[in-house]
Amino acid sequence: MRSDILLLKYGEVVMKGLNRSYFDNLIVRRVKNLLKTVEGEFTLEYAQSTLCILGNEDADMEDAAEKMKRVFGVASVCRAFRCEKSVESIRETVKEHIEELVGDAKTFKCEGKRSDKSFPLSSPALSAEIGGTVLQLMPHLTVDVNRPDVVIKLEVRDKYAAVHGGGEKGAGGMPNGSAGHGMLLLSGGIDSPVAGYLMAKRGLTLDALYFDSPPYTSEAAAEKVQSLAGALAAYCGRIFMHTISLTEIQETLMSACDERLFTILLRRFMMRLAEKQALDVGAAALITGESLGQVASQTLNALSVTNAVPEIPVFRPCIAMDKDEIVQISRKIGTFDISILPYEDCCTVFVPRHPNTRPTMEQILEEEAKLDIEGLVERAFATRRHKKITEG
Ligand code: ATP
Ligand code: MG
């Protein structure tokens, strides 16, 4: 075993009561799955709301640390040095790694944290003791307890001690799968991958549904959506992606219905199909990237007409976000560069010149009365294909 370790500090799950172990187990399962994609072998030890990851000599701790930052439920990820639980051992570890711990800082403080109360020194006494050692080793440093350039943390835990310079922010949220199962309507745009990420962060397992419209949409457009699903899988594990073709529905709408209501009628078909697909795989909610007022089909009127279709809840986490806020998240999660690739989407194939932004339910039902809705839905549903997307 190597002495450098990773400490994963849990976030919101620590507030859970009796069912706490359910949430903890989901985090551990996700960590184990992600570590399978990292070189080396790893052992996990859990205690006191912290998961300690130990690697063998071949372990790529850098890669492991990066990947652990994508585990939902983890508030921070620290690269630390593990040693025995004695003042001398802590002192030796600080000496050995002093360059890495201090970097080019000019001021520092040591922060002891003794969760094992049988340890002979109190937390302040340990901080003072090791602070003295740091000053001897690095006489150019001065102590600043208020705003130090670097904080050397000395954690005395039940089974071991750990020394580190503080953690990096983890993915936060709730463990993958802890909140149930949702069906993400995933287009090739910027918003829907962000919507999926935000709901996965609150603990939903994701399936993704993509609507194509061959021959109007291309294979390249479908591959782009698969890449987006792959980027999401890096956070939430494997995703089943379903594809349904809307070609017949779109052609029928074009020939039979009022062009101004075309998009909204199409969106109602998307909702019917998405709900059917969700129930088929046991998902209990739909997720879309809609944002209030962003386009004609996302006015309050349009959304309420669309929302009237499904019985299961529709989560729209981007509803209150500005485009630049959505873009910021998409950059952070690595979907932006894929989303801006220029491929057509089924919604952009037949776009009405003057969409109705205030459709009423009467108008919509009048148009839908001209259609064999059940038949169109059945035939579209029969086109579905499935693909398992794994984390890259
Ligand atoms: P995005 O929201 O992904 O950036 P967009 O804003 O262009 O794309 P709209 O046409 O406004 O998307 O559709 C709103 C929502 O409907 C999308 O966020 C997505 O959840 C869903 N949606 C749209 N087109 C598709 C599609 N081809 N396949 C699956 N879902 C879709
Ligand atoms: Mg959008």
Side-chain angles (χ1 to χ4, degrees):
M1 284 293 163
R2 36 198 299 162
S3 64
D4 55 330
I5 55 164
L6 299 178
L7 293 177
L8 272 51
K9 313 253 174 170
Y10 289 8
E12 210 175 309
V13 296
V14 302
M15 319 281 282
K16 295 289 169 191
L18 287 177
N19 51 0
R20 169 75 193 274
S21 63
Y22 166 73
F23 294 92
D24 290 352
N25 289 339
L26 288 170
I27 296 183
V28 168
R29 190 170 79 183
R30 180 77 195 116
V31 166
K32 282 186 177 163
N33 277 336
L34 262 180
L35 287 175
K36 284 184 200 152
T37 68
V38 179
E39 193 181 320
E41 283 173 24
F42 298 90
T43 314
L44 307 184
E45 265 179 31
Y46 174 74
Q48 299 160 298
S49 301
T50 301
L51 187 67
C52 176
I53 302 178
L54 300 120
N56 68 354
E57 287 305 321
D58 304 328
D60 185 343
M61 298 308 278
E62 187 90 36
D63 188 31
E66 274 314 303
K67 290 191 168 146
M68 292 307 110
K69 284 193 241 160
R70 298 188 205 140
V71 177
F72 292 129
V74 171
S76 71
V77 177
C78 303
R79 297 198 66 174
F81 301 102
R82 175 164 160 145
C83 60
E84 271 175 39
K85 221 171 62 172
S86 71
V87 177
E88 279 326 302
S89 177
I90 293 172
R91 193 192 317 278
E92 283 313 306
T93 305
V94 169
K95 278 186 180 170
E96 195 182 333
H97 300 288
I98 191 72
E99 307 277 350
E100 284 162 85
L101 289 166
V102 168
D104 52 11
K106 298 200 168 40
T107 60
F108 82 104
K109 79 168 169 180
C110 282
E111 200 173 272
K113 188 169 164 230
R114 176 184 68 153
S115 44
D116 171 9
K117 300 298 173 208
S118 67
F119 191 74
L121 295 189
S122 67
S123 298
L126 176 64
S127 308
E129 180 66 31
I130 302 297
T133 304
V134 173
L135 283 173
Q136 274 173 8
L137 288 168
M138 299 256 163
H140 69 280
L141 288 179
T142 49
V143 174
D144 180 345
V145 289
N146 296 317
R147 296 191 58 188
D149 295 337
V150 70
V151 180
I152 300 175
K153 304 221 182 196
L154 316 163
E155 295 188 24
V156 180
R157 309 182 69 85
D158 279 352
K159 293 208 177 115
Y160 59 92
V163 173
H164 61 88
E168 287 188 77
K169 207 166 167 357
M174 294 297 285
N176 187 234
S178 62
H181 188 173
M183 178 65 64
L184 169 66
L185 282 78
L186 183 61
S187 68
I190 294 171
D191 308 327
S192 50
V194 169
Y197 164 82
L198 291 171
M199 294 319 299
K201 184 175 176 203
R202 289 310 300 167
L204 281 187
T205 302
L206 300 183
D207 270 37
L209 173 58
Y210 167 59
F211 294 107
D212 67 357
S213 191
Y216 307 106
T217 60
S218 64
E219 195 46 40
E223 280 164 18
K224 169 183 171 181
V225 179
Q226 279 173 33
S227 308
L228 288 171
L232 290 176
Y235 286 90
C236 44
R238 58 121 189 81
I239 291 181
F240 287 100
M241 183 171 146
H242 316 279
T243 302
I244 292 179
S245 299
L246 294 178
T247 317
E248 189 198 349
I249 293 177
Q250 289 190 287
E251 287 176 346
T252 309
L253 290 177
M254 278 308 274
S255 62
C257 297
D258 178 350
E259 186 195 314
R260 287 167 303 168
L261 293 172
F262 179 71
T263 309
I264 216 74
L265 291 166
L266 181 64
R267 296 203 58 75
R268 281 169 59 91
F269 273 102
M270 284 186 175
M271 286 294 168
R272 289 184 185 101
L273 289 160
E275 183 170 42
K276 206 165 157 62
Q277 181 59 34
L279 297 178
D280 198 55
V281 299
L286 302 179
I287 303 159
T288 76
E290 288 159 314
S291 167
L292 189 63
Q294 191 188 73
V295 286
S297 58
Q298 295 170 23
T299 62
L300 183 53
N301 273 73
L303 285 170
S304 59
V305 169
T306 311
N307 203 47
V309 174
E311 283 180 17
I312 59 176
V314 182
F315 295 140
R316 299 178 171 88
C318 301
I319 197 73
M321 294 168 74
D322 292 351
K323 194 76 187 187
D324 61 344
E325 293 168 318
I326 302 173
V327 164
Q328 214 177 335
I329 299 176
S330 78
R331 285 187 194 280
K332 187 182 88 177
I333 64 174
T335 55
F336 182 76
D337 289 338
I338 309 171
S339 292
I340 58 173
L341 295 172
Y343 295 114
E344 69 293 331
D345 178 66
C346 68
C347 294
T348 58
V349 179
F350 308 93
V351 187
R353 277 158 296 179
H354 302 291
N356 183 340
T357 55
R358 293 187 177 212
T360 64
M361 209 53 179
E362 289 72 36
Q363 291 169 313
I364 294 293
L365 294 178
E366 202 175 303
E367 292 303 306
E368 287 184 351
K370 302 176 190 165
L371 306 170
D372 166 22
I373 293 189
E374 218 169 284
L376 285 166
V377 167
E378 282 309 320
R379 288 190 296 281
F381 200 61
T383 67
R384 77 210 152 110
R385 289 137 283 155
H386 313 279
K387 195 169 178 123
K388 182 166 145 184
I389 310 284
T390 51
E391 52 215 86

